[in-house]
Amino acid sequence: MDLLAIPRLVFEFAVYLLTVLPDLLPIILALATPLALGALCGVLNERSGVVNIGIEGMMLMSAFFGYLTGFALHQTVGSAVAIWLGIAVAVGVGALLGLLHAWLSVSVRADQIIAGTMMNIAALGVTGYLNRLIITPSGRGGAGVIPPFRIPPELADLPVVGPILAMFLDQGPIAMSVIVFVLVLQFGLFRTRWGLRTRAVGEHPKAADTLGIDVFRQRYLNVILGGALAGLAGAFLTLESTGSFQNGMTGGRGFIALAAMIFGRWTPVGSFLGALLFGTATAFGVVVSVRPAEGDLGVILRSIPTFWYAALPYLLTVVILAGVVGRSVPPAADGVPYAKEGKA
Amino acid sequence: MKDGPTAGSARPVLEMRGITKRFPTGTLANDGIDLDVRRGEIHALLGENGAGKTTLMNILYGLLVPDAGEIRIDGAVATIHDPADAIARGIGMVHQHFMLVPVLTVAENVILGQEITRAAQILDLAEAGRRIRALGARLGFDIDPGARVSGLSVGQQQRVEIAKAVYRDVRILVLDEPTAVLTPQETREIFGVLRALRQDGASIVFISHKLDEVLEIADRITVIRRGRVVGSRRPGETSEQELADLMVGRSVSLRVDRGTSHAGAPALEIVGLRANDDRRHETVRGVDVTVRAGEIVGIAGVAGNGQDELIECLVGLRRPTAGAVRLAGRDVTRASVDRRRDVGFAFVPADRHRYGLVLPYTVRDNLVLTRYAERPYVGGLGTFIRQDAAIDEAARRLIAEFDIRTPSERDPVSTLSGGNQQKVIVAREFRQDLKVMVLDQPTRGLDVGSIEFIHRQVIARRDAGVGVLLVSAELDEVLELSDRVLVMHRGRIVGEFAASEAQRDRIGLLMAKGAAA
């Protein structure tokens, strides 16, 4: 080991990252999709003043019921139709769970952390039980996955441009829709009437109330819409990504989504970038074992047990939530139920 | 009301008849109140804290539902269920605690609820900005529609509130204690805006307990006491003294008779004190003050010149970087809050919601908050057991002695009006065995009756030999109460005046500039 050992390793690492980029880029968006949709769900909820830590459970329930729909129907209506019906069911289940969370948080004024925790625990139990009751004994498979869009090989093989195009376009419809949702919600939140009212009820509900805005209605609307997005994230897991259902398959993505939301300071675009960061961490963990590095760097990277790579997104979550990214300020009325005075 | 509705332009825009409201706690806040407001007049609603002014206006704005009574607008009965109804009828309200969303811009706050949109709900902020600027020009103030509200001064925020109402074509604008948080300069500006609004034909209900302001701005004055209308006057036909007596229900003295002080041994000594604020800027930069037993020393100064940090060092909430604090000859520079209180120290904070009160606790618990662990409030086995009977008795005695208006000693202190909350603190802090008191704006937001009461109590304690340090941004109060006046500027004491030679102008100049011209 000479003096230049460290700088050389850093240089080698940079070169390595560049060489694996064509493998890395196309899988980032797919890995980031459920996180991004979950984070958007969080943004919609918390911007209107409702804390939702039950995104994980909403995703899992939607993933299961979406899968179940495809599983039950694909032999009668065909795979393609069954998958799309499954996606619709997943979104609907997400919206229904959103309605439940809104009812508990807004009308009943229950503790929102407890409500979310209940959602997560109930989701694990319900899906685990029904999975064992219906799907496992049948021994049959599901409806499969939606075929991803493929860009023509001559485009994909272009240097530099190819992998970047692949990153956004070599994807399934749900993954690609994320970009649309991010842009629409970013615009909607900051440039439309709905967005202005959402931000107002999340920051100072009483002020909004004195201007004749229905705080309850606005919060219900947002929590239900958010639930639908969490449902879409669930549909992605079973009907676009894996084509199967496993117990607890969300694997903490609902919580990482919240970290992405905080990283993105409760903005849609920021949350999306946060999700991409987590997606990149996951993708790196995959690529490092598929395309090992050579030389000293390879020795070092191989000497790190593989579970550390798998744990990378979770470690990143801890780091971000511990505030390394800088303190970000949540909406002022986040998690505070609104009650009108003197009107019981 | 004596003036009934008459023909023509004097016909009331708003009539409230027999408004009665009883709260679930049992307080009868409004007891058959009649009020009428004419087109193009500024109508002052005068009353002590807790008299029911705000309740009446919250009923008008649809935030509360009355138990009885009716509201007529332009002669027609109007049922107002919520603020949306009120807004639709041309009623606007500027609340005492502003209803602005700090993270939003001025334009966003103004249009919220009645947004100007293009197709697909997209906000037209450019058009909103144009309208808001035009509205500001009409009323005579500058307003930047793109500025974030959190960055505005209190006076500017109030103009945003008024802009909100005018944007909604307000015909009846209610302002709840609009000047409570303003500097004299800002107050003059807001009065200009209100006069411009009146010129436009709007009617204004101006809630206040400041007599001079009411006499200056109002066309008519209605006085409310304990939920009832007790009189109606025109400014030309009345005086501050008469209004104060009406408000309080007895003869009030507006000027305190300070008497002469007989200063004794040093009670509080502050020596070369230096301290930093939370951002580690040195804001107290070498302060020497001695307060003797039996004298009131006032510190005047524009807010933010180190007074907060100085007070925190005295109370024991902040550790000074240099210097010493002595209470009755004992060094307490590093002593705990509790230890200082044992020596005979009391503190009345400016922000009673942050310090001084535990809002959800009952009145009785707040009254014994500093002594809950002493006999007779604890007793029994190993003196661990809380003695409710003793606490109740002490609380009832203090409630009677300090005239605290509360349904009972067991109601949460948060349900009391601001003046009564302050009386709870004063009742607790003004104990018999005191040596030093630090008062931080002790009468902020209080009405004449409460101010008179608290001032008398302060002077009584001084005459009993307590050393009093009074810190206030309100020069009037400092001049009225203090035996000596010090001026604090940028963390230093820059001037000292004996009570007799205290010259308002020189002090004002020192407060602003730090050096006499």
Side-chain angles (χ1 to χ4, degrees):
Chain A
M1 284 287 207
D2 56 282
L3 258 175
L4 290 172
I6 303 278
R8 196 165 59 226
L9 272 179
V10 170
F11 176 74
E12 277 183 30
F13 188 64
V15 171
Y16 171 68
L17 279 185
L18 275 178
T19 55
V20 297
L21 212 54
D23 299 307
L24 203 59
L25 283 182
I27 60 174
I28 289 175
L29 185 64
L31 289 166
T33 293
L35 306 179
L37 289 170
L40 291 178
C41 168
V43 169
L44 287 185
N45 277 262
E46 300 208 358
R47 277 286 181 171
S48 74
V50 177
V51 167
N52 186 353
I53 65 159
I55 297 172
E56 174 87 1
M58 291 182 171
M59 266 192 212
L60 188 61
M61 290 276 253
S62 309
F64 177 78
F65 284 104
Y67 179 76
L68 186 66
T69 306
F71 168 86
L73 294 181
H74 72 101
Q75 281 171 333
T76 39
V77 299
S79 278
V81 177
I83 289 172
W84 283 107
L85 284 174
I87 292 174
V89 165
V91 170
V93 166
L96 269 178
L97 293 174
L99 176 66
L100 173 66
H101 188 65
W103 179 69
L104 287 171
S105 309
V106 179
S107 299
V108 181
R109 301 210 292 272
D111 185 305
Q112 295 169 17
I113 300 297
I114 306 276
T117 306
M118 181 215 73
M119 185 79 71
N120 292 333
I121 295 173
L124 263 183
V126 168
T127 58
Y129 173 69
L130 292 179
N131 188 28
R132 216 169 124 174
L133 194 71
I134 304 169
I135 294 170
T136 317
S138 76
R140 290 190 285 116
V145 296
I146 325 175
F149 184 74
R150 288 274 175 240
I151 55 172
E154 49 272 24
L155 275 179
D157 291 339
L158 286 175
V160 188
V161 187
I164 292 173
L165 283 177
M167 176 176 182
F168 294 109
L169 298 177
D170 227 11
Q171 306 288 349
I174 297 179
M176 280 196 277
S177 76
V178 167
I179 296 162
V180 177
F181 280 122
V182 167
L183 295 177
V184 166
L185 287 178
Q186 180 79 20
F187 184 83
L189 200 52
F190 295 102
R191 285 279 174 270
T192 69
R193 185 169 78 186
W194 161 78
L196 179 62
R197 292 183 173 195
T198 295
R199 286 180 291 145
V201 300
E203 290 285 343
H204 196 336
K206 187 156 188 205
D209 193 13
T210 60
L211 293 172
I213 292 170
D214 189 336
V215 176
F216 286 15
R217 205 189 83 108
Q218 197 72 25
R219 287 188 170 174
Y220 262 91
L221 177 70
N222 275 42
V223 177
I224 292 170
L225 281 178
L229 287 175
L232 192 60
F236 172 85
L237 290 176
T238 45
L239 297 172
E240 180 164 311
S241 176
T242 62
S244 66
F245 180 85
Q246 286 103 39
N247 290 339
M249 70 185 298
T250 40
R253 284 183 181 85
F255 293 104
I256 298 180
L258 286 175
M261 171 194 77
I262 293 169
F263 173 86
R265 296 178 187 232
W266 287 266
T267 65
V269 166
S271 302
F272 179 58
L273 294 178
L276 284 183
L277 181 68
F278 286 115
T280 308
T282 316
F284 178 74
V286 174
V287 166
V288 105
S289 54
V290 178
R291 291 272 306 264
E294 287 155 9
D296 287 348
L297 183 71
V299 173
I300 292 172
L301 288 182
R302 268 191 301 276
S303 72
I304 301 171
T306 49
F307 62 78
W308 282 108
Y309 294 111
L312 216 50
Y314 302 94
L315 292 173
L316 207 56
T317 307
V318 172
V319 170
I320 284 175
L321 291 185
V324 169
V325 180
R327 251 192 83 63
S328 44
V329 184
D334 201 1
V336 185
Y338 182 64
K340 283 171 179 268
E341 288 169 42
K343 287 190 182 177
Chain B
M1 296 290 291
K2 288 172 191 99
D3 329 62
T6 48
S9 65
R11 180 191 172 75
V13 175
L14 166 71
E15 295 161 85
M16 297 180 86
R17 292 278 167 262
I19 302 291
T20 299
K21 174 72 188 179
R22 187 185 292 276
F23 283 112
T25 51
T27 314
L28 187 59
N30 285 176
D31 185 5
I33 290 189
D34 291 340
L35 175 75
D36 48 52
V37 179
R38 295 176 197 149
R39 186 178 139 78
E41 79 165 349
I42 298 180
H43 194 120
L45 210 51
L46 185 67
E48 290 190 281
N49 297 119
K53 303 168 301 221
T54 302
T55 302
L56 183 68
M57 289 302 115
N58 279 341
I59 287 170
L60 175 62
Y61 198 61
L63 289 169
L64 291 172
V65 182
D67 301 328
E70 68 173 22
I71 298 170
R72 285 169 178 267
I73 290 172
D74 292 330
V77 175
T79 42
I80 300 172
H81 295 291
D82 53 37
D85 286 346
I87 293 167
R89 293 188 156 81
I91 300 168
M93 184 152 175
V94 176
H95 298 260
Q96 192 176 1
H97 302 284
F98 295 155
M99 292 295 165
L100 296 172
V101 184
V103 299
L104 301 186
T105 64
V106 169
E108 286 174 327
N109 267 289
V110 170
I111 64 173
L112 181 62
Q114 279 188 20
E115 297 83 355
I116 308 171
T117 53
R118 295 190 288 248
Q121 291 200 8
I122 296 169
L123 300 175
D124 190 347
L125 288 172
E127 172 61 20
R130 271 193 294 279
R131 283 200 213 172
I132 293 163
R133 277 214 175 82
L135 181 162
R138 206 171 84 220
L139 297 174
F141 57 78
D142 271 339
I143 187 166
D144 174 9
R148 212 169 277 276
V149 164
S150 55
L152 300 183
S153 73
V154 176
Q156 290 170 319
Q157 291 190 21
Q158 192 161 54
R159 290 198 280 273
V160 177
E161 283 281 24
I162 292 174
K164 267 165 71 176
V166 176
Y167 168 80
R168 286 165 176 74
D169 294 324
V170 70
R171 297 167 57 225
I172 303 164
L173 177 62
V174 180
L175 295 110
D176 191 357
E177 308 216 356
T179 60
V181 287
L182 301 185
T183 64
Q185 174 64 23
E186 287 172 326
T187 300
R188 274 196 293 280
E189 286 170 17
I190 215 74
F191 280 4
V193 172
L194 296 185
R195 290 192 179 106
L197 264 174
R198 177 176 59 185
Q199 200 65 39
D200 264 13
S203 307
I204 293 163
V205 179
F206 182 93
I207 302 180
S208 182
H209 57 244
K210 292 191 181 171
L211 303 167
D212 51 339
E213 291 178 355
V214 164
L215 286 173
E216 185 190 336
I217 188 87
D219 300 310
R220 282 198 300 156
I221 302 162
T222 295
V223 185
I224 295 182
R225 182 172 75 234
R226 299 202 180 198
R228 289 166 167 275
V229 173
V230 292
S232 182
R233 297 286 185 277
R234 289 177 185 281
E237 308 162 346
T238 187
S239 63
E240 287 197 20
Q241 187 64 52
E242 189 198 13
L243 290 175
D245 295 351
L246 267 178
M247 244 168 90
V248 182
R250 60 179 165 81
S251 185
V252 186
S253 81
L254 292 173
R255 298 276 166 265
V256 249
D257 179 16
R258 203 168 61 227
T260 45
S261 77
H262 302 282
L268 170 68
E269 292 161 277
I270 305 168
V271 188
L273 199 77
R274 290 175 174 274
N276 295 336
D277 68 5
D278 292 338
R279 286 172 297 173
R280 302 207 174 161
H281 294 153
E282 186 170 69
T283 51
V284 179
R285 305 193 292 171
V287 167
D288 295 275
V289 175
T290 301
V291 181
R292 295 175 177 279
E295 74 166 347
I296 302 173
V297 175
I299 295 187
V302 177
N305 272 287
Q307 298 100 318
D308 289 351
E309 289 76 20
L310 172 65
I311 288 170
E312 285 169 10
C313 288
L314 299 181
V315 177
L317 295 173
R318 181 177 298 274
R319 185 137 300 174
T321 50
V325 177
R326 282 197 283 275
L327 277 180
R330 266 185 265 194
D331 190 320
V332 294
T333 315
R334 289 171 182 275
S336 68
V337 178
D338 201 37
R339 177 87 195 90
R340 288 170 209 236
R341 285 184 171 276
D342 285 346
V343 178
F345 176 82
F347 170 53
V348 176
D351 186 345
R352 48 186 169 257
H353 290 173
R354 271 187 74 196
Y355 305 106
L357 291 175
V358 183
L359 287 174
Y361 279 20
T362 58
V363 171
R364 62 171 182 170
D365 285 347
N366 274 289
L367 283 171
V368 298
L369 208 54
T370 52
R371 284 180 294 168
Y372 63 92
E374 297 166 15
R375 285 176 184 280
Y377 309 125
V378 287
L381 283 173
T383 72
F384 278 133
I385 317 288
R386 178 186 154 97
Q387 301 294 309
D388 271 346
I391 292 173
D392 279 345
E393 195 211 306
R396 279 198 288 266
R397 185 171 44 73
L398 288 172
I399 286 169
E401 187 184 336
F402 286 81
D403 188 29
I404 299 166
R405 309 256 170 91
T406 172
S408 83
E409 68 276 7
R410 302 195 180 200
D411 282 273
V413 82
S414 59
T415 61
L416 272 53
S417 70
N420 284 300
Q421 290 180 350
Q422 190 72 357
K423 283 184 187 170
V424 171
I425 296 181
V426 168
R428 182 186 67 215
E429 297 292 322
F430 283 28
R431 299 172 303 168
Q432 297 305 324
D433 52 347
L434 282 183
K435 296 202 169 60
V436 175
M437 286 194 322
V438 171
L439 311 176
D440 188 4
Q441 318 216 21
T443 59
R444 185 160 78 168
L446 301 194
D447 54 66
V448 276
S450 308
I451 291 174
E452 180 203 22
F453 180 82
I454 288 174
H455 284 180
R456 276 182 203 283
Q457 292 291 329
V458 171
I459 288 165
R461 289 293 180 277
R462 177 201 71 179
D463 291 342
V466 178
V468 181
L469 185 69
L470 167 71
V471 180
S472 181
E474 271 200 45
L475 190 50
D476 286 330
E477 179 164 52
V478 173
L479 289 179
E480 211 167 296
L481 270 187
S482 311
D483 300 311
R484 279 193 295 140
V485 177
L486 309 177
V487 180
M488 191 161 177
H489 181 78
R490 295 205 180 153
R492 292 195 180 91
I493 302 296
V494 293
E496 174 168 350
F497 301 83
S500 49
E501 59 160 308
Q503 291 156 309
R504 165 178 275 284
D505 291 347
R506 279 182 62 201
I507 294 176
L509 204 63
L510 268 180
M511 283 168 70
K513 299 234 170 82

